[in-house]
Amino acid sequence: VQARQHLPSELVIEDPTLASPVELVLRRGLSVRGQVCLPDGAPAPQCPVVAVTEKQHEISGATAADGSFEIGGLEPGRVRLRALAPRDSAAALALSASETEVVEAGSAGIVLRLRPAAPISGSLRGLELSPRELAALELAPERAQIGSA
């Protein structure tokens, strides 16, 4: 069972003939709040924001028109946050995801800044991608391997 801003819970009813009502109490979780900005500091509306907890649970949301976001339903502990470029925007190809920030659940005032995308050139061998898949390809410098062909 999941509810916005609450921790997920699991309910197992072993006797479906149970006549009395079952009461399920959800615990309210912590949240993280902040702002996503464009590289020039302007607010970034409609950007996906992804939070990954220490238990590797992924919770996502999106920024409001003013670039603000709130992701709730978090357990106490560290959370990795990252803002992604808006997918349905003409500017999306000019933007790249923010750096990953590690914060404590319950934090506010977090600023995630999208980065300008860098032009790349080259060729991919052994991959057959549609133009849409190719446009969504993101290179991760920490995982890139450069070698001779």
Side-chain angles (χ1 to χ4, degrees):
V1 177
Q2 292 188 5
R4 186 167 146 48
Q5 305 292 335
H6 290 76
L7 298 173
S9 295
E10 186 173 316
L11 174 66
V12 177
I13 300 176
E14 294 182 12
D15 183 0
T17 62
L18 193 62
S20 62
V22 175
E23 182 177 331
L24 177 64
V25 178
L26 298 177
R27 294 182 301 137
R28 187 163 180 84
L30 297 171
S31 64
V32 289
R33 293 188 315 264
Q35 182 86 21
V36 176
C37 299
L38 297 171
D40 66 3
Q46 304 307 313
C47 288
V49 179
V50 179
V52 180
T53 67
E54 290 177 327
K55 293 182 179 178
Q56 301 305 309
H57 295 135
E58 186 174 296
I59 304 170
S60 60
T63 58
D66 64 355
S68 65
F69 70 89
E70 180 174 6
I71 297 177
L74 302 170
E75 294 181 7
R78 290 186 181 172
V79 179
R80 289 181 289 134
L81 284 176
R82 188 171 189 207
L84 307 176
R87 296 174 195 251
D88 298 330
S89 165
L93 293 177
L95 297 170
S96 182
S98 71
E99 295 285 339
T100 298
E101 298 288 334
V102 179
V103 301
E104 289 293 324
S107 297
I110 301 157
V111 177
L112 301 173
R113 188 177 300 271
L114 296 175
R115 298 175 288 174
I120 61 169
S121 62
S123 62
L124 295 173
R125 296 186 183 139
L127 293 176
E128 300 209 11
L129 301 175
S130 70
R132 182 182 181 127
E133 290 170 321
L134 191 57
L137 184 65
E138 182 177 336
L139 298 179
E142 63 273 8
R143 287 184 258 149
Q145 294 183 359
I146 300 173
S148 58

